[in-house]
Amino acid sequence: MLKKLAARLAITCAVAVGLIAGTGSAAFAADTWLILSDIDGRQVGAMQHVDDGDSFRVYDSLKDGYSVEGCLQAYAPRVGWTTVKCKNNDSGAGTYESFGFDVITGVPYRMRLCHALVPCAYQGFNE
């Protein structure tokens, strides 16, 4: 009885891990978005990873006199999250600044988007 229960639990865990791993696979390669909103729900900025060409766009969405900073971060097991490249959009509301970075398959990445009046937001993705 105990062996059957342990086997069922192991199968259930394996299926769950497979589903989680499958949803983040490269087969679903597409653009990734990160939206940053203030406490009232107004969008103050956005960041986009354009998968075709590995470019990143940092959008300033709100005319408030503050810039938006978007960063690309990579994860290394013994180091943790490190910032690879950043772009500050101080061009004004309704504009975007861009930068390129060759994203490597198998490395966990995340985008970080910050604004002076709003806490930073993060969005992970894999190539």
Side-chain angles (χ1 to χ4, degrees):
M1 179 73 168
L2 187 58
K3 284 185 179 181
K4 274 187 173 180
L5 184 61
R8 287 182 182 176
L9 181 61
I11 291 171
T12 303
C13 289
V15 169
V17 168
L19 287 173
I20 291 169
T23 58
S25 70
F28 297 107
D31 294 355
T32 303
W33 282 89
L34 170 59
I35 307 295
L36 183 62
S37 300
D38 67 8
I39 196 166
D40 295 325
R42 292 177 299 208
Q43 181 177 324
V44 297
M47 188 169 176
Q48 177 187 18
H49 168 231
V50 181
D51 190 49
D52 184 18
D54 280 337
S55 66
F56 295 84
R57 297 177 180 171
V58 180
Y59 295 87
D60 187 347
S61 306
L62 191 61
K63 187 175 182 177
D64 59 2
Y66 294 99
S67 63
V68 178
E69 181 183 61
C71 296
L72 174 64
Q73 296 181 323
Y75 184 79
R78 292 191 174 146
V79 179
W81 289 104
T82 58
T83 300
V84 177
K85 202 164 189 179
C86 290
K87 189 68 171 184
N88 190 352
N89 183 343
D90 54 4
S91 299
T95 65
Y96 73 86
E97 298 280 339
S98 63
F99 65 89
F101 185 83
D102 188 19
V103 175
I104 300 169
T105 302
V107 175
Y109 291 95
R110 73 179 182 185
M111 297 182 293
R112 182 186 77 195
L113 190 60
C114 299
H115 183 274
L117 303 177
V118 179
C120 297
Y122 299 88
Q123 176 65 49
F125 68 96
N126 294 330
E127 182 67 21

